[in-house]
Amino acid sequence: MTGGADLRLRGRDLLLAAAAEVARRPSTSGSRARQVRWVAGEYGRALAHPEHLLGEDATAEELFRREPVEKYLELAGSGVLRLRAARDPKKHSDHSAKIRLEVLHLMVRALGVQAAADLPPQPDPPDKEPVAERPRVLLREQLRMLADAAGSGPNRIRMLAIGATVCDTGVRAGELCACTVEDVSPSIDELRVVRRPQGAAEAEAYVELLALSDLSRTALRRWLPERRALMARVGGTATALWVSLHANHRDGQPVPAGTPLQPRGLARAWTRAVVETNGTMAGQPGWGPLPTRMEQLRRGVVPEATDAPLIPDAARTAELLDVVAARAAALSALRAARHGATAQRAARRGLRNAVHGAWAAGVGHGVQLAVLGAAGLKDEAALAAAGWEPALLEAVDRAQGWGRPPKGAAR
């Protein structure tokens, strides 16, 4: 199947059209769009270079064959295709070569010429020493100690929550940034993550439910109120789980604190926080430096994972919500009649299992809360009995603009 770009175009014009097609897709981030435009312009300049094998009349089938692409990568790596002189012309980046190949794969799919393409393989990544299991245990304790220290602010609390979550789940920065409050289970014991293998097509994405440790749960309970305070100046809905701590600029426009973290911003924020912390804690008894790269945290993690649907099934959703409604009504009746603790305990357990099952199948928090409310479970205590963490309920309120009866209202 061909993409949206016009295959009658040739050379540089075709590359720019393919880049535009990739950039306009909803799944393409702003940073990836800039990379795609960069590669298209660079490859276009390669076609005008006397050492390249092709010219401006090159077709899509020719542009993405092994030899022309390898020649482009060689020229790009040497620096001759730069628009501005490099500070160190001899410096070569394996990371840049990796990005170029990732982008070329996206352009091939946008043009629909996968059958004719023959791109070189990705270079082997440089060895990165992962954090082994024992150091990861110590790392968790170090993060806990930092967050519990007197005067710990949002920076350390967010670092604790991110570090603990990565140690549990092994998620990539992009996967972490894509998480919303909807991806946190009602009891904050699991995280839904959309896995997108690097270089894979959008259709190859899949969903996993990843178990969270007690440390991650505690850290998220502490982070969510900090997150709510940071979003005081953010208008509209606010669903991102991880947000910025300070005002910034994006695409030339000022943005307030509390806006969604982007993968690059997340990596920078983690590195800054770790460097500062390592400097502050150096020489303290039992302290070992935290790794400055999140990649070192996630490598070697084997998470406890369960498969989940990428898109909820409508019929299954209706069945699960019927179960939630029935068990919510049963618990509500027991609470109203002030039945014994044993009966209520059993009803709470059944409802919590039903709520979790619906969330795992992709049913949104707002839908479930509406069902629970219709059954008479509306206030914080009643929803806590149904398995909902109060800190998450506050985040859902902020995301959806809902309100519930104030504390102390009649039950």
Side-chain angles (χ1 to χ4, degrees):
M1 183 178 69
T2 60
D6 187 352
L7 291 178
R8 293 173 297 180
L9 297 172
R10 295 289 186 271
R12 182 174 181 274
D13 290 340
L14 180 61
L15 292 166
L16 293 175
E21 176 68 18
V22 174
R24 72 167 59 99
R25 292 179 174 179
S27 59
T28 302
S29 66
S31 60
R32 180 61 94 184
R34 289 190 292 273
Q35 291 170 351
V36 171
R37 290 190 286 268
W38 161 58
V39 170
E42 195 178 55
Y43 198 174
R45 292 191 294 279
L47 297 178
H49 195 279
E51 292 184 21
H52 200 272
L53 312 177
L54 302 176
E56 287 290 349
D57 61 344
T59 64
E61 289 78 6
E62 294 170 329
L63 283 168
F64 299 102
R65 289 178 183 161
R66 178 73 62 94
E67 286 186 290
V69 170
E70 287 180 337
K71 193 62 184 179
Y72 153 58
L73 294 174
E74 177 188 329
L75 292 170
S78 70
V80 299
L81 302 180
R82 292 178 181 271
L83 291 175
R84 292 178 293 182
R87 293 181 180 179
D88 184 0
K90 296 181 181 179
K91 186 176 181 181
H92 176 71
S93 171
D94 289 334
H95 182 62
S96 295
K98 176 178 176 293
I99 290 174
R100 289 183 179 105
L101 280 168
E102 288 176 357
V103 167
L104 290 174
H105 276 284
L106 293 174
M107 294 170 73
V108 164
R109 287 197 290 269
L111 293 170
V113 293
Q114 294 94 320
D118 180 25
L119 297 178
Q122 283 280 7
D124 291 334
D127 290 336
K128 298 174 185 175
E129 190 67 28
V131 179
E133 183 176 358
R134 176 56 181 164
R136 276 204 305 273
V137 172
L138 296 175
L139 171 63
R140 292 172 190 269
E141 293 307 311
Q142 291 168 345
L143 289 170
R144 188 200 304 271
M145 178 177 65
L146 287 169
D148 289 343
S152 289
N155 187 33
R156 285 187 177 179
I157 292 173
R158 188 181 67 177
M159 186 170 71
L160 167 66
I162 288 174
T165 300
V166 172
C167 284
D168 285 344
T169 63
V171 294
R172 295 185 173 92
E175 294 168 342
L176 199 63
C177 287
C179 289
T180 70
V181 294
E182 292 287 339
D183 295 316
V184 182
S185 69
S187 56
I188 316 187
D189 59 354
E190 284 188 302
L191 183 69
R192 179 191 292 111
V193 175
V194 180
R195 299 289 201 180
R196 290 188 168 86
Q198 288 183 333
E202 184 71 17
E204 297 177 47
Y206 61 97
V207 173
E208 287 184 333
L209 306 181
L210 301 166
L212 297 175
S213 64
D214 288 342
L215 177 59
S216 290
R217 296 182 67 190
T218 300
L220 283 168
R221 288 192 196 100
R222 295 182 62 181
W223 163 243
L224 288 171
E226 297 286 350
R227 170 189 174 276
R228 183 178 178 88
L230 287 165
M231 293 190 302
R233 296 180 56 198
V234 177
T237 59
T239 62
L241 180 58
W242 308 106
V243 300
S244 60
L245 302 179
H246 308 289
N248 209 327
H249 285 79
R250 187 174 300 157
D251 297 327
Q253 299 296 319
V255 291
T259 53
L261 267 182
Q262 302 300 312
R264 185 178 298 178
L266 174 62
R268 284 199 300 261
W270 172 263
T271 299
R272 278 197 306 269
V274 168
V275 168
E276 177 186 353
T277 299
N278 284 341
T280 302
M281 300 297 294
Q284 296 292 325
W287 177 261
L290 299 172
T292 58
R293 292 176 63 92
M294 287 184 59
E295 177 71 10
Q296 291 174 270
L297 284 184
R298 76 172 197 86
R299 284 171 61 87
V301 174
V302 181
E304 183 182 332
T306 304
D307 292 336
L310 185 62
I311 300 175
D313 177 81
R316 180 63 177 154
T317 294
E319 292 174 3
L320 292 169
L321 286 176
D322 284 344
V323 175
V324 171
R327 293 186 178 177
L331 177 59
S332 182
L334 288 171
R335 285 167 56 86
R338 301 187 181 278
H339 274 273
T342 301
Q344 287 200 39
R345 221 174 7 249
R348 284 198 300 270
R349 186 164 54 249
L351 177 55
R352 290 179 181 188
N353 289 339
V355 165
H356 182 273
W359 170 82
V363 179
H365 291 329
V367 175
Q368 289 216 64
L369 290 171
V371 170
L372 295 173
L377 304 179
K378 300 179 181 179
D379 62 276
E380 187 175 293
L383 292 173
W388 286 82
E389 284 283 348
L392 182 60
L393 288 172
E394 294 289 341
V396 173
D397 273 353
R398 178 64 180 83
Q400 307 237 354
W402 282 14
R404 283 191 298 278
K407 294 180 182 178
R411 299 175 185 176

